[in-house]
Amino acid sequence: MWPETYLQDAASGMQAAAGLVNTSHYITLDHLMSGYLHASLFDPLKNVLDSLNKWGHLDGVAAAAVDQLKDSKRSKYSKELVADLGDIYQKISVEERFTSVFQILKRDHAQQFSHLSKQTTDFCFFHYLSESRQESSEAVPEEFVDSVTQVVMEAPVLLLSSKMVIDESTLVRLLLESASDPFTRHPLVHGSFSRLPHLQADILAWKNARSALPQ
């Protein structure tokens, strides 16, 4: 696997991203599992992806992946696969029980999906997640902004130990990653946070008023 110093360089990092995708179709489940005669490739691959993300080379991964999807030898299978992914994201976007998952995807990966959507317009649109992470240049009320991500919230939640307000999607991520308040390090357990329905209603009203303005 590539050393960290190699991946820092823009040209080398993009080359590594393309190489990783181009060799990925040779990897099988056996390669990702530890065996009697070989070690698992799971950790090395994860480390490379983490480094590519750290140094901003994920666009190279996306571009190489799109090139593979458009490969004429696999075009029929690729189009069906991407269409299925589009259907999955569409279902996530409209089902209430997946709201937090969808908001995390849209918040953290909207730019990547927007790039993919532009690259795959001939057979698939990821328009459900292709909104920019950046809000309008219009001033956003400070109380509407997630204290962690600095993005306008959809479903605000109050962290009782720090009195800070974050979006529900951020709370889900914190529960999965550390289960602690990032401002006080106190454990996030049942009863340590509460929803803010009145603030959520204010945010929705502000968004609706903004969308009604002429573009």
Side-chain angles (χ1 to χ4, degrees), residues 57-78:
H57 305 314
L58 285 188
D59 279 348
V61 175
V66 168
D67 286 342
Q68 278 205 8
L69 289 173
K70 291 184 174 181
D71 186 335
S72 60
K73 295 179 181 178
R74 295 186 290 271
S75 61
K76 182 177 184 296
Y77 168 77
S78 299

Side-chain angles (χ1 to χ4, degrees), residues 18-202:
L20 184 66
V21 174
N22 290 335
T23 59
S24 63
H25 61 277
Y26 296 111
I27 297 174
T28 67
L29 182 60
D30 287 339
H31 294 122
L32 300 177
M33 300 178 66
S34 297
Y36 178 71
L37 297 176
H38 64 84
S40 170
L41 289 177
F42 178 83
D43 287 332
L45 287 171
K46 180 181 181 299
N47 291 338
V48 169
L49 284 171
D50 286 343
S51 293
L52 291 173
N53 181 41
K54 176 181 177 181
W55 300 112
H57 305 314
L58 285 188
D59 279 348
V61 175
V66 168
D67 286 342
Q68 278 205 8
L69 289 173
K70 291 184 174 181
D71 186 335
S72 60
K73 295 179 181 178
R74 295 186 290 271
S75 61
K76 182 177 184 296
Y77 168 77
S78 299
K79 292 179 180 180
E80 291 175 353
L81 174 62
V82 177
D84 286 343
L85 287 174
D87 289 342
I88 291 171
Y89 292 130
Q90 191 274 335
K91 290 174 183 176
I92 289 176
S93 72
V94 298
E95 290 202 23
E96 183 176 350
R97 63 196 175 111
F98 292 134
T99 299
S100 296
V101 175
F102 176 70
Q103 292 303 331
I104 291 172
L105 286 169
K106 188 167 72 171
R107 185 193 70 199
D108 294 346
H109 305 294
Q111 290 178 332
Q112 287 87 347
F113 278 102
S114 178
H115 177 69
L116 285 172
S117 181
K118 292 174 183 176
Q119 295 291 323
T120 59
T121 52
D122 55 337
F123 57 92
C124 183
F125 294 90
F126 289 101
H127 56 273
Y128 304 103
L129 291 137
S130 59
E131 298 177 9
S132 170
R133 290 182 61 181
Q134 301 299 322
E135 294 293 330
S136 158
S137 58
E138 174 190 355
V140 178
E142 184 178 353
E143 64 271 22
F144 294 173
V145 176
D146 186 310
S147 298
V148 172
T149 66
Q150 299 302 304
V151 174
V152 175
M153 295 177 286
E154 299 280 343
V157 176
L158 174 67
L159 303 179
L160 299 181
S161 69
S162 63
K163 307 303 181 186
M164 303 298 282
V165 179
I166 62 175
D167 190 64
E168 182 181 282
S169 60
T170 303
L171 175 63
V172 171
R173 174 180 244 180
L174 291 173
L175 289 170
L176 292 173
E177 292 180 350
S178 63
S180 63
D181 185 322
F183 303 99
T184 64
R185 312 314 300 174
H186 287 182
L188 287 175
V189 295
H190 181 69
S192 65
F193 48 85
S194 61
R195 296 179 183 277
L196 299 172
H198 295 298
L199 179 57
Q200 183 174 6
D202 290 344

